[in-house]
Structures are given as structure tokens and as C-alpha cells.
Amino acid sequence: LARAAILGRMAQRLSGTQRFGYAFGSFGTGGFATVPGLVLLFYLTDVLGVAAVVASLVVFVPKAWDVLIAPVVGGVSDKTMVRTGSRAKWLLIGGLIIGPMFALTFSAPQALQGNAAALWVGVFFLFAITGFATFQVTYLALPAEFTDDYRERTRIMSLRIIFLTLSILLFGAGAPVLVNAFGSGRTGYMGMGVVVGVLLVISTVVCWAILRRTKSYSAADSEPTMAERVAAVRQNRWFALLLTTFVLQALATGAMLAAVPYLATYILGGGELQQTLLFVCLVGPAIVVMPPWSLVARRSGKQRGFALASGVFVIAAIGLFFSRSLPDAAIYLLVGLVGVAYAGMQMFPLAMLPDTVAADAAAHGRQRAGVFTGVWAAAETVAFALGPAIVGLILAATGFISSSGDETVTQPTSALTGIVVAFGAFPAVMLLLSLPTLFKYDLTEARLDDLRGAHAE
């Protein structure tokens, strides 16, 4: 009887509207993760005249704050779930903070230059990060509560990744176009910030509106202290392995993303158009290859698919290290190959994360989704911030020359080498370092069923 009850619970499905509502939230999370990662460092060094070392701190320190705030938000979100049966209100609160603070981040007044401009950007970016953490932690906790079906979570995440991919493509390719449409320089970035901020608010509010009455199949259990949060994570071997793999890969993709404007400007010799083309090559393939990656997940397993995508990324990244001696067409081709891998590297870990949460619930009889997603969101945010920060440090170490928007600068050969190191060599090394923990991950559907059965008995 217990086994039948478990299988019945596993059969729970979301409606098409609910899947759409959840997936639509990724339109906002993808936009927020993409635009700062793509243009914030470049905005600081090549528009506001901020030194590369200082710019590295500006893109990293506000996101490092997420290490502290995201686990706290996770605990508070869990308590709200316990008390009211829904944590959805935090989706709305976070979404209403993100948009205005994002717009202000890219609205440094004309009178501010250098370090003063860096302070403006850093303060408002920190506020934006706080709003994003509030939304993201809550958002990531939901799939583990919506359904206990291993395959249903893959379906939910596959649709989410489609929206995430479209978001990354739209925002990543569109941000440089918007900057150019509003006149480039400070005015261009300010206009872009306002448009993106409005879209972020729309995405998060729509997500909240659709999901606010969605019922959870189980009740959450909060972790009131930091010590208990740490203990919960340490007890979950699969979560620790997956998180380590994901963080190292986020460092790689964050660095590559931040290096796109520099590669477009100083290696390909262009500007906004080349940035847009590079980004389309990076993200566009995901629209086509997402269904095949989903098929790989069903036939070979999520872990094997994740490993395959990671291997493809490594090969392409090594090739991109030689961008200075490659024809433009070869660079775009290799970036497209990275895009194929990147789609899988986004889908697989996000589909595996709810499985690790479910494994914890099965082993301990407690639903602590907010704890794990809080830690995940914090680690993800910091990793994606550390990637651009490392790019800034690489540029500083190789003699990159910062400038304001109306200056034309010829970079030394050492800085050009730094750009290809940041875009190709560093991401390849991070991917290679991520593989050992990925290969140790062995949480399959059968093992998860065994955990549930053992607990039910």
C-alpha cells in the first residue's frame, strides 16, 4: 500500500498553464543573468572609464552578497510555505525590486566618472542582486514541491530551458542593439537598462500571477539556523557533487560571456553587430538542440548527457583560445559549438537539482527545498559574478587600457592575448576541473525510487 501511495503521488502532473507560468519566470532570470554578465564589465571599463581591477570588484562584490542573502531568503521562504502553504509571494516581492534597481545600475549620471561611477553602479547592482535572490531562491524551490515525478521534473525543466534559452538569446543579442538604438555611450546603456528593467518586472509578475495558487504535493520544513542549513547540504552527497560541478562550469560560462564584447571589439574588430552575432551563435543553437538533449536525458540518463555536453564545450573552448589566428568564420563556428554544449549544460543540472532535493526528502522525511535552492542560488550568482571578475583581473594583468565611450584605444598585444585566455583557455580549464565531481554523481531514477520505498516502509 505504501508503495502504491508513492507511485500515485509520483503521477502528479502540472497543467499546461502551470508549466508555462513556471517556464515564463525564466524569461526574467535569464535576462538578469545574461545582460550584466555580458555588458556590465565592458560598461565599466569602456564607457565609464573604470580601471579593470576596480571594475572586477564592482561586478563581483554585490553578487558575493548573495552568499549571505540567498540562504536567508531560502529559510524565510520555507517558513512562509510552512505557515501559509505557498511561498509564491516572494516571487512578486523579488520581481518588483529587480526591475527598477537594474535600470538604475546602468544610469550613472554624466558627472560621475571612474571610481565615483563605479560606486554608483555597485550600490544599485547590490540592490538588484537582493531582489534577484528573493525571486530566484523561491523560483528554484518550486519544482521539488510541484511534483515528485522524476520524469515530470525533466519535462518542467525542458520547457523552462526553452524559455531560458529564448530569454538569453533575446536579451543577449538585443542588449547591444538597444545600446546602439539609444545612441551608444551612457545614453545608450541607460535606455537599454530601462527597457530590460521593464521586461524583468513583466516576466516575474506574470510568473507569480500564474503560480500563486498552485498547490504543493507536500509541506515544506524550514531550516531556522545557518548551522542546520550547512548540515543539510553536507548530508546530501548528490547535491554537493552537482553544486560543485555547476559552480565550476558557471565560472567558465560567466567568463566567456563577459569576454564576448572584448572579443567582438578587439579581436574581430567590430562592435555591437559583432557582439550580437557572437551571442546568436552562442545561444541560438540551443533552440534547435534542446529536444535532442531531452531525448539523451530519457535514453541515456541526465548524468551521461551532462557529461557529453561538458566534453563538447571543452573541445570548442580550447579551439577558441586560438581565435587570434583563426578566420572569423571559424570563430563563429566554434562559438556555435559552444552553444550546442551550453544548452545541455543548462538543462541537465537544473533537471537534476530537484532530484537531489527529492532524495533528501526521501531520506530524512522532510521537505527542505528552500534550503538547497537558497544555497544553489547563492553559489550560482557568485560563480557568474566571479567569472566576469576573473576576466577583469586577466585584462588588468595583461595590460588592458580602459577608456570612456568616446575614446578609441589600441590595445597592446598582451591585452589581446588576455582576451583569448579569458574567452577560451580559462573556460576550458574550469570545465575540465568540473568533470571529476560530475562522474561521481550517480543519482538515477531507480535509486530515487529505492530511497522513497525504503522511507515509506
Side-chain angles (χ1 to χ4, degrees):
L1 291 177
R3 186 69 172 176
I6 293 171
L7 293 175
R9 184 179 66 180
M10 288 176 63
Q12 182 168 317
R13 298 286 191 272
L14 297 186
S15 69
T17 299
Q18 290 169 327
R19 287 197 195 107
F20 170 82
Y22 184 76
F24 196 74
S26 280
F27 187 79
T29 61
F32 186 84
T34 299
V35 178
L38 176 65
V39 302
L40 185 57
L41 184 68
F42 190 79
Y43 171 63
L44 288 162
T45 60
D46 282 50
V47 176
L48 302 183
V50 179
V53 171
V54 177
S56 295
L57 293 175
V58 172
V59 299
F60 175 70
V61 172
K63 286 196 174 184
W65 160 248
D66 202 62
V67 173
L68 300 176
I69 191 64
V72 173
V73 170
V76 173
S77 179
D78 277 347
K79 289 179 181 179
T80 301
M81 180 66 183
V82 171
R83 187 175 64 253
T84 68
S86 173
R87 62 176 85 234
K89 77 172 186 178
W90 296 105
L91 297 174
L92 179 63
I93 293 171
L96 293 178
I97 295 173
I98 297 171
M101 295 302 104
F102 182 92
L104 287 169
T105 298
F106 288 94
S107 300
Q110 192 70 35
L112 299 183
Q113 189 78 11
N115 290 342
L119 180 62
W120 172 285
V121 172
V123 168
F124 286 107
F125 192 39
L126 185 145
F127 290 146
I129 288 293
T130 302
F132 180 70
T134 303
F135 179 89
Q136 177 80 334
V137 169
T138 305
Y139 183 72
L140 289 175
L142 295 177
E145 297 169 346
F146 283 161
T147 178
D148 206 21
D149 189 325
Y150 184 92
R151 296 178 182 272
E152 173 69 2
R153 285 196 295 267
T154 300
R155 284 188 285 268
I156 293 170
M157 287 301 170
S158 295
L159 182 59
R160 180 200 166 186
I161 295 301
I162 291 173
F163 274 80
L164 181 63
T165 301
L166 290 172
S167 170
I168 293 172
L169 180 59
L170 175 63
F171 284 103
V177 173
L178 285 172
V179 170
N180 188 60
F182 282 102
S184 297
R186 290 177 185 249
T187 303
Y189 278 92
M190 183 183 299
M192 179 275 297
V194 170
V195 172
V196 172
V198 169
L199 293 176
L200 294 178
V201 171
I202 292 173
S203 169
T204 52
V205 170
V206 168
C207 177
W208 163 79
I210 293 176
L211 298 180
R212 62 196 176 101
R213 291 192 175 91
T214 302
K215 301 299 183 182
S216 171
Y217 80 89
S218 66
D221 188 14
S222 62
E223 292 289 329
T225 68
M226 181 63 72
E228 287 176 320
R229 294 185 190 111
V230 173
V233 172
R234 291 181 63 183
Q235 291 167 4
N236 193 330
R237 170 180 173 270
W238 293 297
F239 177 83
L241 290 171
L242 184 63
L243 180 66
T244 301
T245 301
F246 183 77
V247 165
L248 289 170
Q249 296 196 359
L251 281 172
T253 54
M256 184 172 282
L257 189 66
V260 164
Y262 298 98
L263 188 80
T265 302
Y266 299 109
I267 303 298
L268 294 175
E272 285 84 4
L273 176 60
Q274 280 69 26
Q275 289 183 44
T276 299
L277 289 175
L278 280 174
F279 212 84
V280 169
C281 290
L282 181 62
V283 181
I287 299 174
V288 178
V289 302
M290 193 60 67
W293 280 132
S294 297
L295 182 62
V296 170
R298 290 193 297 272
R299 292 188 174 180
S300 301
K302 301 175 189 178
Q303 188 265 2
R304 290 182 180 177
F306 195 5
L308 177 60
S310 301
V312 173
F313 188 100
V314 170
I315 294 171
I318 291 174
L320 286 167
F321 172 65
F322 301 97
S323 294
R324 292 183 62 197
S325 57
L326 293 175
D328 291 358
I331 294 175
Y332 289 121
L333 181 62
L334 286 171
V335 172
L337 190 60
V338 167
V340 171
Y342 180 68
M345 290 163 53
Q346 287 288 300
M347 187 196 81
F348 290 114
L350 290 176
M352 294 156 73
L353 172 60
D355 297 336
T356 68
V357 176
D360 175 79
H364 298 94
R366 307 166 66 190
Q367 177 58 265
R368 304 181 289 186
V371 175
F372 294 105
T373 58
V375 173
W376 182 279
E380 177 184 17
T381 302
V382 171
F384 276 113
L386 189 56
I390 290 173
V391 171
L393 294 177
I394 292 173
L395 295 179
T398 53
F400 181 85
I401 302 172
S402 298
S403 61
S404 62
D406 56 354
E407 294 180 283
T408 300
V409 174
T410 300
Q411 299 293 343
T413 301
S414 59
L416 301 180
T417 300
I419 290 171
V420 295
V421 167
F423 194 77
F426 175 77
V429 170
M430 290 299 101
L431 258 292
L432 288 171
L433 291 176
S434 76
L435 295 180
T437 51
L438 175 56
F439 291 148
K440 292 179 182 178
Y441 181 95
D442 58 356
L443 181 59
T444 62
E445 182 177 10
R447 177 162 291 190
L448 190 53
D449 286 348
D450 289 342
L451 286 172
R452 293 193 188 99
H455 178 70
E457 295 169 2

